[in-house]
């Protein structure tokens, strides 16, 4: 019954949020909280800003989009700072249609849905409260009741600019119901709702021959003409078009560029002048954010048509490309799986990462910069350290590939192939090889992939498998190391002792015999060679380590195993290299002896307890890595 209690609490909360009073009482609220009079564009910017903002690597991360949109930080920052922010300041940007343009399944619809759901929630808060003239089908701004000739005086007293004119229906109601007494007009608090058609509208084009403009602007109610005597009486008109209902909030145009011209011209007036024509009335004011979305092909076709030039100049295009970060691509798949009926299936660690390698590779453009290939570029984009490259190189790579991310494999294709792998295997567990195999087989069924692209994609699947092979080997080798951290720390401390003696030109003392001896060059080189430190570069690397060691000591901090990224990698690789023969024998023995069997069982247990595998996927991983090491 807990859910019913929550329903009751929600209903009670909504009743408490309701407010109704005269226009005079509403003005007292405006005086105290001017934000209730903000425009639709200002309201959406406030909504995003109030949700929270953090900065990371000189990029703004908006909490509002945080758990739904992944890897599009730069696009979202451009959207907020180049459109919503200036539009909130009443700059000319707000007189433009926002067009999100990008490939299928790239996140455009998700962004619009987040804005709509956000509007609904925000209108229930004190900061996002919205008030309207009671009984108005367009939820009209009560400030429209202030006569034009008094608006300068109102601005001087309240600091708020009023835009728009009172609608024909409310002009008539003001005279007939209130005798012209503006202060007595009843105002109510409204709550945005797409389902109830309050402040959020959605328009989808259908057959141009049958679709009526009334879907946008409302229509005459013929049943009332006899009662009111004229088609131009606002009481004989249904103000129920999407533009009417979206007033004060936002209007989503799905497939806007497929609309018939007569629909598009209404948008010209609405965006530029803040009004539109409906029935036999004067222009009707509306304050709403208009957002549309389309793909690149349709957009190019649209701007190529000379007839669309007037509308084109009133559109701000925000490119929404595919995500280009492997780690964020994984999060997209995890989210899509959580929202599906596949949550009962065990997906082995790194299976989604292997798919993400493939997806991101298909979206990247081959770098022109010398010394860098597609895999290095992929790693750099994901924030990994790649020797010889830095953040400046990453920025240069992005500048040379302005259109990057607008093509390639979409996340839905990957999820479809994962589903196919689950159904085919008939076991509630799949691994990276199952996923890559399914991705490969699906290319033949993908109608939009050309033969040339198919050949490239097959190569990318092979690259993704190589990347996974390295991860799999490390995973197993790490699991074989008993007390891994302790072994690594012991080896690191031994290396540091030798480095310190080498750099200071000191002797070392044998812990058993007490004899003096030279630093162990063989040990130091066996570790340094793991990360490609040449004979000529060894002195500089050791001095770098010693400087880092001294810096930690000066600050009173302990030099830990993870204190130097490259040294940590070298220690790991050295331990793995020492264990390689043990792993090969243990994983490939067809009839393992008791000692080997015990070791295998220990490794399986560790893979399950510490690395997220289940029994099936752990054993499959061991067999696969055994075959890799024996090649």
């Amino acid at each position: 019954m807990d859910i019913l209690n929550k329903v009751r609490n929600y209903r009670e909360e909504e009743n408490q949020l309701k407010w109704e009073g005269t226009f005079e009482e509403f003005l007292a609220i405006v005086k105290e909280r001017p934000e209730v009079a903000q425009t639709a564009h200002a309201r959406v910017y406030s909504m995003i800003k109030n949700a929270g903002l953090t900065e990371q690597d000189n990029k703004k991360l908006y909490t509002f989009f945080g758990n739904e949109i992944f890897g599009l930080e730069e696009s979202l920052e451009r959207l907020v700072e180049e459109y919503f922010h200036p539009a909130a300041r009443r700059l000319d940007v707000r007189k433009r249609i926002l067009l999100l343009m990008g490939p299928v399944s790239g996140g455009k619809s998700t962004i619009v849905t987040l804005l709509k759901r956000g509007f609904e929630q925000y209108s229930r808060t004190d900061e996002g409260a919205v008030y309207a003239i009671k009984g108005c089908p367009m939820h009209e701004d009560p400030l429209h009741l202030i006569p034009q000739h008094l608006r300068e005086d109102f601005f001087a007293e309240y600091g708020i600019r009023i835009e728009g004119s009172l609608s024909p229906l409310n002009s008539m109601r003001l005279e007939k119901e209130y005798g012209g007494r503006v202060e007595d007009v009843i105002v109510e608090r409204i709550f945005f709702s797409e389902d109830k058609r309050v402040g959020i509208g959605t328009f989808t084009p259908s057959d141009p021959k049958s679709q009526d403009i009334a879907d946008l602007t409302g229509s005459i109610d013929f049943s009332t003409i006899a009662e009111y005597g004229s088609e131009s009486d606002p009481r004989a008109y249904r103000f129920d078009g999407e533009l009417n209902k979206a007033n004060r909030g936002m209007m989503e145009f799905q497939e806007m560029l497929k609309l018939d011209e007569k629909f598009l011209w209404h948008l010209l007036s609405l965006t530029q002048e803040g009004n539109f024509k409906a029935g036999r009335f004067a222009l009707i004011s509306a304050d709403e954010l208009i957002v549309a979305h389309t793909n690149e092909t349709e957009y190019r076709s649209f701007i190529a048509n000379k007839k669309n030039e007037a509308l084109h100049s009133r559109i701000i295009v925000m490119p929404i490309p595919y995500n280009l970060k492997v780690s964020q691509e994984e999060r997209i798949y995890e989210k899509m799986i959580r929202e599906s009926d596949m949550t009962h299936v065990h997906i082995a660690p790194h299976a989604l990462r292997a798919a993400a390698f493939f997806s991101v590779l298909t979206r990247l453009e081959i770098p022109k910069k010398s010394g860098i290939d597609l895999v290095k570029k992929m790693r750099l984009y994901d924030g990994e350290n790649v020797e010889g490259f830095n953040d400046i190189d990453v920025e240069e790579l992005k500048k040379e590939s302005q259109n990057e991310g607008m093509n390639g494999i979409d996340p839905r294709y990957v999820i479809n192939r994962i589903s196919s792998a689950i159904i085919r295997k008939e076991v509630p567990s799949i691994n990276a090889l199952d996923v890559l195999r399914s991705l490969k087989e699906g290319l033949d069924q993908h109608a939009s992939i050309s033969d040339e692209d198919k050949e490239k994609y097959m190569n990318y699947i092979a690259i993704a498998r190589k990347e996974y092979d390295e991860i799999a080997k490390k995973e197993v080798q790490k699991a074989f190391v008993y007390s891994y951290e302790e072994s690594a720390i012991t080896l690191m401390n031994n290396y540091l002792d030798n480095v310190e003696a080498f750099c200071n030109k000191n002797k070392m003392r044998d812990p058993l015999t007490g004899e003096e001896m030279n630093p162990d060059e063989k040990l130091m080189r066996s570790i340094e060679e793991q990360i490609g430190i040449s004979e000529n570069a060894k002195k500089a690397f050791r001095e770098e380590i010693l400087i880092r060691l001294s810096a930690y000591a000066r600050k009173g901090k302990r030099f830990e195993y993870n204190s130097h990224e490259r040294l940590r990698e070298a220690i790991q690789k050295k331990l793995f290299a020492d264990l390689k023969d043990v792993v090969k024998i243990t994983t490939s023995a067809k009839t393992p002896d008791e000692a080997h069997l015990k070791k295998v069982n220990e490794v399986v247990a560790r893979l399950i307890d510490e690395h997220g595998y289940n029994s099936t996927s752990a054993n499959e991983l061991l067999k696969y890595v055994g075959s890799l090491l024996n090649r």
Side-chain angles (χ1 to χ4, degrees), residues 124-262:
R124 296 171 60 84
T125 66
D126 290 341
E127 299 86 1
V130 189
Y131 295 84
I133 297 172
K134 187 176 183 182
C136 173
M138 285 184 58
H139 333 293
E140 187 164 11
D141 187 348
L143 293 182
H144 285 179
L145 291 162
I146 302 290
Q148 292 284 349
H149 67 279
L150 294 178
R151 291 187 177 182
E152 285 299 322
D153 295 337
F154 182 84
F155 177 71
E157 185 177 347
Y158 287 81
I160 294 169
R161 294 196 182 279
I162 303 172
E163 297 178 357
S165 304
L166 197 61
S167 65
L169 178 61
N170 285 323
S171 294
M172 177 176 281
R173 290 180 62 208
L174 178 61
E175 294 305 318
K176 291 186 178 293
E177 295 178 28
Y178 298 102
R181 291 177 59 81
V182 168
E183 62 272 28
D184 292 342
V185 174
I186 300 299
V187 174
E188 66 177 348
R189 182 174 177 180
I190 61 169
F191 305 101
F192 288 158
S193 169
E194 184 176 20
D195 293 340
K196 295 177 181 176
R197 301 185 76 213
V198 178
I200 299 174
T202 305
F203 187 83
T204 305
S206 56
D207 182 2
K209 294 176 183 176
S210 62
Q211 192 154 30
D212 193 344
I213 198 70
D215 294 346
L216 267 188
T217 61
S219 59
I220 297 167
D221 185 354
F222 289 102
S223 66
T224 60
I225 291 176
E227 181 183 350
Y228 297 119
S230 168
E231 290 182 14
S232 59
D233 189 308
R235 292 170 298 180
Y237 196 85
R238 293 194 189 99
F239 292 91
D240 60 356
E242 292 302 320
L243 291 182
N244 307 105
K245 294 299 183 181
N247 186 33
R248 313 294 302 288
M250 68 174 284
M251 173 75 187
E252 177 193 6
F253 272 89
Q254 297 176 350
E255 308 293 345
M256 185 190 80
L257 302 185
K258 292 179 179 176
L259 279 171
D260 189 76
E261 283 179 41
K262 64 184 178 182

Side-chain angles (χ1 to χ4, degrees), residues 416-627:
N416 290 344
R417 297 314 303 165
I418 289 173
S419 304
S420 177
I422 291 167
I423 292 164
R424 187 187 304 111
K425 199 170 180 187
E426 295 180 351
V427 175
S429 171
I430 60 166
N431 58 38
L433 297 179
D434 297 323
V435 172
L436 290 174
R437 193 180 299 114
S438 185
L439 287 170
K440 185 178 179 180
E441 291 169 357
L443 294 177
D444 290 328
Q445 303 163 24
H446 205 301
S448 62
I449 296 178
S450 65
D451 290 340
E452 184 185 347
D453 282 342
K454 193 181 296 178
E455 192 176 332
K456 272 197 308 184
Y457 291 176
M458 295 288 248
N459 184 41
Y460 294 152
I461 286 174
I463 293 172
R465 179 163 177 174
K466 281 181 186 174
E467 291 295 301
Y468 170 69
D469 287 353
E470 290 305 309
I471 292 172
K473 282 189 280 188
K474 283 182 182 179
E475 195 94 310
V476 170
Q477 288 167 335
K478 191 185 291 185
F480 262 84
V481 180
Y482 182 72
S483 301
Y484 174 70
E485 287 292 321
E486 288 82 351
S487 303
I489 290 166
T490 302
L491 183 58
M492 181 195 73
N493 287 334
N494 198 355
Y495 175 79
L496 292 176
D497 289 342
N498 281 277
V499 163
E500 201 167 357
F502 171 85
C503 292
N504 294 328
K505 297 181 179 176
N506 292 334
K507 295 279 186 182
M508 294 187 68
R509 194 169 294 280
D510 190 300
L512 295 177
T513 66
E515 293 178 23
E516 285 193 337
M517 58 184 186
N518 289 323
D520 190 342
E521 183 67 21
K522 187 177 179 183
L523 171 75
M524 290 188 286
R525 290 303 295 142
S526 71
I527 291 171
E528 291 156 358
E529 285 170 351
Q530 300 296 329
I531 51 172
I533 302 293
S534 66
E535 185 71 26
N536 293 332
K538 71 180 183 183
K539 186 171 182 290
F541 180 74
R542 292 171 190 176
E543 287 172 349
E544 178 193 325
I545 295 292
L546 191 63
I547 290 167
R548 179 76 63 90
L549 198 62
S550 302
Y552 270 71
R554 279 199 311 274
K555 294 174 184 175
K557 292 168 67 179
R558 183 181 174 83
F559 190 91
E560 303 282 356
Y561 169 58
N562 292 316
S563 296
H564 192 285
E565 178 66 28
R566 295 191 69 212
L567 178 58
R568 183 184 65 79
E569 184 187 350
I571 297 287
Q572 274 188 358
K573 286 186 173 179
K574 169 62 177 162
L575 282 173
F576 294 161
D578 293 345
L579 274 170
K580 190 172 182 180
D581 289 338
V582 178
V583 176
K584 281 171 67 175
I585 294 167
T586 310
T587 55
S588 60
K590 290 183 180 177
T591 54
D593 60 29
E594 192 174 334
H596 282 158
L597 196 58
K598 183 181 176 185
K599 192 70 179 174
V600 168
N601 290 336
E602 284 177 4
V603 172
V604 168
R606 199 165 292 120
L607 286 169
I608 293 170
D609 296 339
E610 298 175 17
H611 298 273
Y613 291 82
N614 69 359
S615 177
T616 304
S617 59
N619 279 291
E620 287 174 342
L621 177 71
L622 279 178
K623 286 177 187 173
Y624 180 62
V625 170
S627 70

Side-chain angles (χ1 to χ4, degrees), residues 365-366 377 381 396-404:
E365 293 182 7
I366 295 169
K377 185 179 189 180
Y381 275 14
E396 286 178 5
L397 286 168
K398 288 178 180 176
K399 283 177 185 174
E400 77 176 22
S401 307
Q402 295 285 340
N403 206 40
E404 202 164 47

Side-chain angles (χ1 to χ4, degrees), residues 100-106 108 293-296 318-321 406:
L100 305 179
M101 187 264 289
V104 295
S105 191
K108 305 183 298 294
H293 40 94
T294 189
N295 60 52
E296 192 173 12
M318 283 289 166
I320 307 294
M406 299 304 278

